[in-house]
Amino acid sequence: MPRSPIYFMLVRLDDGDLASLTVIREPTQFFAQLRSYGFTEHASASSPALTEMQTGAFLDTVASVFSIFRDRPFAYIIADGMSRADWLAAMEEKAHDPRFGLMERDGEISYCMTVPVN
């Protein structure tokens, strides 16, 4: 059985600092962690509408939840010269890459990569 998509990236907080964002997407819900120096925030939401959302709308929804309900607004970082569509395609590809996984320790999650042994 394939694992749920996992999105992870750096984001820029409103104050200019960087934070890591990790999102686990289920068909009708998500769980997300925003972490930077001095804080770790968790958020989740559930709605049947999440099932049909494309990646861009989904990630915008995650940002809205943190901005509105957790008072932690942030902006996604898209590399210079990369279009939003290309960035979203890369995020979606990475979200389904079986080499990436999650670890939980003391209530915080972090992602890891399994390196194949030749």
Side-chain angles (χ1 to χ4, degrees):
M1 177 176 206
R3 67 162 172 75
S4 299
I6 302 168
Y7 302 84
F8 53 92
M9 65 208 76
L10 288 177
V11 296
R12 186 158 311 278
L13 301 172
D14 263 9
D15 64 7
D17 288 345
L18 294 176
S20 67
L21 175 67
T22 305
V23 184
I24 303 166
R25 184 177 186 175
E26 297 289 336
T28 60
Q29 63 186 349
F30 70 84
F31 175 80
Q33 175 183 275
L34 182 66
R35 188 165 94 190
S36 189
Y37 297 106
F39 77 86
T40 300
E41 292 279 351
H42 295 99
S44 61
S46 63
S47 169
L50 291 170
T51 303
E52 301 300 321
M53 281 187 185
Q54 297 294 321
T55 306
F58 172 71
L59 292 177
D60 290 345
T61 299
V62 172
S64 293
V65 168
F66 274 105
S67 178
I68 295 168
F69 298 106
R70 296 287 183 235
D71 196 26
R72 292 280 187 190
F74 64 81
Y76 292 109
I77 300 171
I78 300 174
D80 289 340
M82 181 179 257
S83 70
R84 178 173 165 88
D86 289 343
W87 177 77
L88 289 170
M91 287 293 105
E92 194 61 34
E93 182 179 340
K94 189 168 52 170
H96 293 277
D97 189 330
R99 296 174 298 169
F100 294 101
L102 294 177
M103 295 175 54
E104 185 272 332
R105 182 176 176 192
D106 298 330
E108 293 189 14
I109 56 175
S110 54
Y111 51 90
C112 61
M113 181 176 188
T114 303
V115 180
V117 178
N118 291 337

